[in-house]
Amino acid sequence: MGLISGAIDAALESIGKSLLDVGEWFLETGYTLWKNAGKLTLDYVKISPMSQSGAWGVVTGSVYQMSLAIAASLAVLFFVMGWLRESIDIRNNFTLENMFRFFVRYAITASLIVNSLSLVTGICECATAVTSQISVNMESKDVENVFETVRDQLEDDDDADGGTWIGMGLAGMLGGFFGGAVIMVCGVSLVLSVLSRLFRLLLCVPFAPAAFAGFAGGHEFAQTGIAWLRTFIGYALEAVVIALAISISYGMFKDANMFSAGAKSGSIVSLLLLICGYCMPMVTACACVKGAEMTVRRCLGLG
């Protein structure tokens, strides 16, 4: 019976080790995808929309030219509407000073419409330059042989039998699977956040001339142009906030040991907490990046 029991324990121990290896493989796979996603994120967060020749050509092509034509008509319309709104009493309001103010406002509006693409380019270049100055390091501690300490502790534990190995193996496999899945989701979410920001930035470009036309009418009409400027600047600065969010959150939590205490060494709980510790930097970085847009919108008063 002793030989049979020993053989069963040895078989269970072998199975437990294999299950731990599977869990490690899941974590390593997730971390590999995270590193690639992080590299792609850093590349795109520091990229200028003008460098995307295909997309930039679309938003500055025929659609933009049509927007310029519409903006020219709207500028005249808003100018007349603004003049009528402010000059109901011609005797008191139709003065040389007011006329000069109206035409100066119209000249500034026309200049904004004509040079709207230069303004867009300047804002993007400034945001890209600021973002490039932010140092972001997404390197994390190595995930190879994550469960090596767990194996060593079980091998040194004289009370560890085949059932213990099986329990730890199952916990390691399931924990590694879910941990790897969480890391993969965070990596994909990070890339999508950066790409969606670039996409929104490009979508704003064709509407710049039409939005600036509202300045010709002054007062309420100008709110269209102001809203566009605040929105576009917000999207441009979002890259800066994303880079800062990644740098700060990853710097705070990449060596986090908040899950390492409070559990018995070599237990299933300590194993699961170890996996949580590896996932924590990715989860926090992803959460901070997700909140970047809201941070910018609140700072600019966009709601």
Side-chain angles (χ1 to χ4, degrees), residues 45-246:
V45 82
K46 296 180 179 181
I47 206 170
S48 173
M50 289 81 73
S51 63
Q52 305 298 303
S53 56
W56 186 254
V58 171
V59 298
T60 58
S62 58
V63 177
Y64 181 80
Q65 298 302 321
M66 183 175 63
S67 180
L68 280 175
I70 295 173
S73 302
L74 287 176
V76 176
L77 175 63
F78 289 145
F79 172 76
V80 174
M81 292 175 66
W83 180 80
L84 291 175
R85 182 181 180 279
E86 298 182 24
S87 304
I88 296 176
D89 188 352
I90 295 180
R91 179 177 297 179
N92 294 326
N93 296 333
F94 196 65
T95 63
L96 182 62
E97 179 183 349
N98 282 341
M99 290 177 61
F100 183 74
R101 178 166 57 87
F102 291 149
F103 283 103
V104 166
R105 189 167 63 197
Y106 183 79
I108 293 174
T109 302
S111 178
L112 276 174
I113 293 173
V114 172
N115 298 290
S116 56
L117 194 57
S118 299
L119 180 62
V120 166
T121 304
I123 293 173
C124 292
E125 288 178 348
C126 288
T128 303
V130 174
T131 307
S132 300
Q133 298 303 313
I134 301 174
S135 176
V136 182
N137 182 18
M138 295 183 67
E139 291 296 327
S140 181
K141 51 186 177 181
D142 200 354
V143 297
E144 291 184 2
N145 300 321
V146 178
F147 300 146
E148 189 65 31
T149 56
V150 176
R151 294 190 188 91
D152 293 340
Q153 290 168 356
L154 287 178
E155 289 173 353
D156 294 337
D157 187 1
D158 296 332
D159 296 329
D161 55 8
T164 305
W165 277 99
I166 282 291
M168 292 294 288
L170 287 173
M173 183 186 69
L174 294 176
F177 173 77
F178 285 110
V182 168
I183 294 173
M184 290 180 186
V185 170
C186 288
V188 173
S189 178
L190 208 63
V191 174
L192 290 178
S193 296
V194 175
L195 291 179
S196 64
R197 169 255 169 192
L198 187 61
F199 181 71
R200 293 193 301 268
L201 202 63
L202 288 168
L203 280 180
C204 287
V205 174
F207 300 101
F212 289 154
F215 286 118
H219 299 287
E220 289 84 359
F221 300 106
Q223 294 304 313
T224 305
I226 294 173
W228 185 93
L229 280 172
R230 291 165 66 182
T231 301
F232 188 79
I233 292 173
Y235 288 151
L237 292 179
E238 196 175 323
V240 181
V241 179
I242 287 175
L244 282 174
I246 294 175

